Amino acid sequence: MPFGECTITLQDVAYQLGLPVDGRYVSGCLTDFHIYIEGGRPAWETVRRFARAYIMMLLGTQLFADKFGNRIHIRCLPYVAWLEEMGTYSWRSAALAWLYRCMCRVANRHVVKLAGPLQLLQSWIFWRFARFRPAGYDTCSWPLASRWSGYNPPGGEKGPRVQNWRLRLDMLQATDFIWMPYSSPEVLQVVHPEVLEPRHTAMWRSVTSLIYFAVIE
């Protein structure tokens, strides 16, 4: 920014997406996994299959989306085989690592589209830059990114819109950036208590590697 640098942190991912940060890293080789889906009652197994399909959709189209947004990588399959273990992984750091890598790639002038968890990036912008927020979205819910679930950016020619946003970014001042958006009463009323547990908050300021398979940031 004209006044300095800012970026998305693990704390932002915690509040925006409600994902756990304390856990095992998301990585490995498919040959390292032995997938065995346990059978059970037909009705219960049907529910588990739908749950696996829904989680795969979230992983492939929301957290770790590519530019197409309609494909799911097979490397996500072992993680949904055991639903009970899904919460033991650090999905927050994995999603942030993937977003960092995608933003680095899109800085290349030959790249025209941005992949990654774009709802995280968009919600972070709206929460940190009040002047960029769309009007009419005043109700706060959990996770915080769901506040803008019905938002659709306005259409129009791309050229003028890009020039307008570049001008608005160049005119930003330090006072336009909200340094502590999560201390407001509206956030404290809806925040999930698990996010504020010491085992998670202690990692918000840690200096460590963010890992998502071959992506290390």
Side-chain angles (χ1 to χ4, degrees):
M1 302 301 154
F3 53 84
E5 296 182 353
C6 54
T7 189
I8 304 173
T9 66
L10 288 172
Q11 181 190 28
D12 292 311
V13 186
Y15 279 93
Q16 297 297 337
L17 301 183
L19 295 174
V21 63
D22 183 29
R24 295 179 287 175
Y25 58 83
V26 181
S27 186
C29 179
L30 288 177
T31 57
D32 296 335
F33 294 93
H34 301 278
I35 303 177
Y36 172 71
I37 300 180
E38 185 177 346
R41 297 180 180 179
W44 175 242
E45 187 57 32
T46 300
V47 173
R48 293 173 67 89
R49 289 176 180 175
F50 275 101
R52 291 189 182 99
Y54 182 72
I55 293 173
M56 286 284 286
M57 184 273 295
L58 290 179
L59 295 177
T61 64
Q62 299 296 319
L63 292 183
F64 310 108
D66 57 14
K67 294 181 181 180
F68 298 96
N70 59 0
R71 302 184 301 182
I72 303 175
H73 200 286
I74 193 174
R75 62 190 176 195
C76 296
L77 184 60
Y79 294 94
V80 297
W82 298 100
L83 296 179
E84 294 78 8
E85 297 185 5
M86 288 290 295
T88 64
Y89 291 92
S90 180
W91 297 105
R92 186 191 310 177
S93 61
L96 188 57
W98 181 236
L99 179 60
Y100 280 170
R101 182 59 56 91
C102 292
M103 293 179 68
C104 182
R105 288 175 177 172
V106 81
N108 190 313
R109 66 187 183 93
H110 300 293
V111 179
V112 296
K113 289 185 178 181
L114 175 62
L118 301 185
Q119 79 280 9
L120 168 61
L121 177 61
Q122 175 181 265
S123 185
W124 179 83
I125 293 173
F126 291 162
W127 275 96
R128 294 286 185 172
F129 299 92
R131 63 162 56 187
F132 294 160
R133 291 180 184 176
Y137 295 88
D138 301 325
T139 303
C140 188
S141 57
W142 182 260
L144 299 186
S146 63
R147 178 176 179 176
W148 328 102
S149 59
Y151 172 72
N152 289 316
E157 296 184 12
K158 180 179 179 181
R161 284 192 291 119
V162 171
Q163 294 177 4
N164 177 58
W165 280 104
R166 285 177 177 171
L167 179 60
R168 296 177 69 178
L169 289 172
D170 291 339
M171 296 176 61
L172 282 175
Q173 302 293 327
T175 54
D176 296 324
F177 187 79
I178 303 176
W179 298 98
M180 300 179 64
Y182 309 128
S183 60
S184 62
E186 60 177 353
V187 173
L188 297 177
Q189 290 177 356
V190 299
V191 64
H192 195 285
E194 184 180 358
V195 172
L196 303 178
E197 292 181 2
R199 65 190 180 96
H200 294 305
T201 58
M203 296 188 178
W204 290 351
R205 294 186 176 92
S206 62
V207 180
T208 183
S209 297
L210 303 177
I211 301 175
Y212 173 62
F213 289 97
V215 176
I216 301 178
E217 297 287 344

